[in-house]
Amino acid sequence: MELAALSPAELADRLTALRGEYDRLKARGLRLDLTRGKPSAAQLELSRPLLELPIADDHTAQDGTDCRNYGGLQGLPELRAAFAGPLQVPAEQLVAFGNSSLELMYECVVDAVLFGVPGSAAPWPRSGGTAMLCPVPGYDRHFALCEKLGIDMITVPMTDTGPDMDEVERLAADERVKGIWCVPKYSNPTGVTFSDETVRRLAAMETAAPDFRIFWDNAYAVHGMAEADEPLADVLSLCAERGHPDRAFVFGSTSKITTAGSGVAFFGSSPANVDWLLGHFAKRTIGPDKLNQLRHARFLPDAPAVRAHMARHAEVLRPKFELLHTVLEKRLGGTGVASWTRPRGGYFVSLDVPDGCATRVVRLAADAGIALTPAGAPFPYGKDPRDRTLRLAPSYPTLEQLHEAASGLALCIELAAVERLAAG
Ligand SMILES: Cc1ncc(COP(=O)(O)O)c(C=O)c1O
């Protein structure tokens, strides 16, 4: 039943019972972790054949490149061709480089700040300051990157179709606003996929800054868990159609496809933006790790192979997301003190508790041996103005550990909510 409907006497009784239950939970000395949005060991095993590929005697790419040697700044053509479809970027406009898309995002922002991007009259900070739009809740590392580089962050609420576009269009009329962070598919942490209308408006909108960029972090492009994948509109084509061919920077990686940290990252954009980035790369390296790219191209030779491989990931992930939902629903359903997302892909669940309770829930859980991502993490500067949103990551623990962690978490949420209600 709705906890808010309990009388003061009923609340007091409930609080006593919950405190007893919580003390018993604490006494168990658990050590569980719901913070890590990374693949589990079972998922990493799916890519074992990649690590076993006999590359020593067969290191020549399809175009005759000896992958043991320097060169090939844009990345192996066959790997770019395999990921062109999944990332919705023509292979010739796709760059395969390094092992981390976050690093590519960092590079792009640094280069924009130091030099400007195609279409800039000056480096970003020299044209009236630099701010980025940050849909919230969002990915903490995007925000940490901005904070580090001194870029102001302006929050925009996420809706179930993507960022609130009325707000985005209003704020983009300020010349200081140089870009927006987007995780357009199975978003971190809400799981939302942007609607076609949202993508069209992002592509078409007027921006005061002529060098405005959409940072299209498509980290979960092929990470659906449901029967049917959620379609995402093609941002690069739409931007080009609406007369803003250079507006979108697309990012992706195989971090959550093959091996996290030892995969391959991608950047896709207009020819002008690709030339711009390669021009900067050329000053810091003679080429990427083509042997790793070759292994990836052989393991995942085309888009159907990528999708078949991701279906195996989905089989491992789906039961975990279902279990998390079932455990939360069993204890908190109908109480009116928690709501959470049920994503059809990606790695996270976003959970809202009553205003002012998120920090308390994290504390209670930590004291009971259950690590949660700090309250506020999905907001710029780590500050959730309502102190109510928590990001849960069910991928890494085993089903058994997840069951224990989710049950303990649900108890902590109920306890924090009843404490608050009882306090009036
Ligand atoms: C939205 C998003 N972008 C990027 C990354 C990191 O990607 P990479 O390993 O390619 O740097 C993550 C990892 O959790 C993520 O959630």
Side-chain angles (χ1 to χ4, degrees):
M1 74 175 288
E2 286 255 351
L3 292 177
L6 295 179
S7 68
E10 286 170 324
L11 277 174
D13 285 351
R14 189 82 199 122
L15 192 53
T16 308
L18 287 168
R19 283 192 175 140
E21 195 183 343
Y22 179 69
D23 287 343
R24 290 191 293 282
L25 177 73
K26 253 169 87 170
R28 292 176 58 200
L30 298 174
R31 281 197 55 187
L32 299 167
D33 196 333
L34 281 181
T35 65
R36 290 175 290 191
K38 55 187 193 179
S40 62
Q43 289 176 268
L44 297 173
E45 272 305 301
L46 298 173
S47 295
R48 170 179 283 271
L50 178 147
L51 300 175
E52 291 172 344
L53 283 170
I55 217 89
D57 294 321
D58 189 4
H59 37 69
T60 309
Q62 281 170 10
D63 64 357
T65 298
D66 183 338
C67 292
R68 297 171 305 177
N69 222 327
Y70 274 142
L73 199 57
Q74 194 171 343
L76 282 191
E78 58 257 55
L79 184 64
R80 292 191 280 112
F83 279 84
L87 290 172
Q88 299 170 294
V89 179
E92 59 282 7
Q93 288 169 232
L94 197 57
V95 177
F97 189 92
N99 68 327
S100 159
S101 59
L102 186 67
E103 184 181 34
L104 297 182
M105 295 173 226
Y106 190 90
E107 166 96 24
C108 285
V109 177
V110 167
D111 290 338
V113 166
L114 286 178
F115 308 105
V117 296
S120 297
W124 270 5
R126 275 203 244 145
S127 48
T130 310
M132 296 244 322
L133 302 182
C134 300
V136 290
Y139 179 38
D140 50 353
R141 290 180 191 269
H142 290 160
F143 306 152
L145 188 164
C146 280
E147 194 175 347
K148 181 84 183 164
L149 296 174
I151 291 172
D152 292 338
M153 290 178 267
I154 303 173
T155 59
V156 176
M158 271 296 272
T159 72
D160 55 11
T161 54
D164 177 338
M165 282 309 299
D166 290 343
E167 268 299 276
V168 170
E169 286 164 354
R170 190 181 67 77
L171 291 163
D174 175 351
E175 201 197 351
R176 286 185 325 122
V177 173
K178 298 293 194 189
I180 180 170
W181 290 109
C182 294
V183 184
K185 196 160 172 185
Y186 308 128
S187 192
N188 176 352
T190 59
V192 162
T193 297
F194 290 14
S195 69
D196 290 357
E197 175 65 8
T198 297
V199 185
R200 265 197 297 272
R201 285 174 75 175
L202 282 165
M205 69 183 180
E206 293 300 323
T207 63
D211 49 357
F212 183 96
R213 289 293 182 276
I214 302 170
F215 283 70
W216 197 250
D217 179 0
N218 206 353
Y220 302 107
V222 286
H223 300 62
M225 281 180 295
E227 280 290 298
D229 191 30
E230 288 181 358
L232 175 68
D234 172 352
V235 72
L236 278 187
S237 300
L238 283 170
C239 284
E241 271 169 33
R242 301 302 162 111
H244 307 121
D246 298 333
R247 179 170 287 181
F249 284 164
V250 176
F251 303 92
S253 79
T254 69
S255 287
K256 287 167 181 168
I257 297 176
T258 56
T259 43
S262 311
V264 179
F266 297 95
F267 168 86
S269 197
S270 65
N273 285 334
V274 167
D275 286 350
W276 169 81
L277 188 63
L278 291 180
H280 291 295
F281 280 167
K283 300 293 176 287
R284 70 175 177 94
T285 178
I286 308 173
D289 176 353
K290 293 187 297 303
L291 287 172
N292 194 32
Q293 296 195 3
L294 187 63
R295 274 193 288 262
H296 276 77
R298 288 188 179 153
F299 181 55
L300 300 171
D302 50 28
V306 175
R307 298 202 188 277
H309 181 69
M310 293 314 289
R312 292 191 274 277
H313 276 280
E315 275 165 33
V316 182
L317 285 170
R318 199 182 304 113
K320 297 189 176 180
F321 280 78
E322 277 168 9
L323 177 69
L324 178 59
H325 170 74
T326 306
V327 173
L328 294 175
E329 181 65 28
K330 191 165 164 216
R331 175 147 209 156
L332 300 171
T335 60
V337 297
S339 60
W340 56 92
T341 54
R342 289 194 73 181
R344 294 157 64 86
Y347 265 64
F348 300 99
V349 167
S350 183
L351 179 142
D352 283 349
V353 294
D355 284 17
C357 285
T359 304
R360 176 69 180 147
V361 170
V362 173
R363 176 84 261 155
L364 285 168
D367 290 347
I370 302 166
L372 299 177
T373 305
F379 292 79
Y381 312 106
K383 290 204 174 71
D384 173 359
R386 295 176 63 177
D387 188 27
R388 67 161 182 169
T389 300
L390 296 170
R391 188 189 82 176
L392 308 178
S395 62
Y396 193 72
T398 61
L399 281 168
E400 206 181 15
Q401 291 166 335
L402 180 62
H403 192 281
E404 291 237 64
S407 309
L409 166 66
L411 165 60
C412 295
I413 292 171
E414 191 180 346
L415 176 54
V418 171
E419 279 176 350
R420 178 154 283 249
L421 287 167

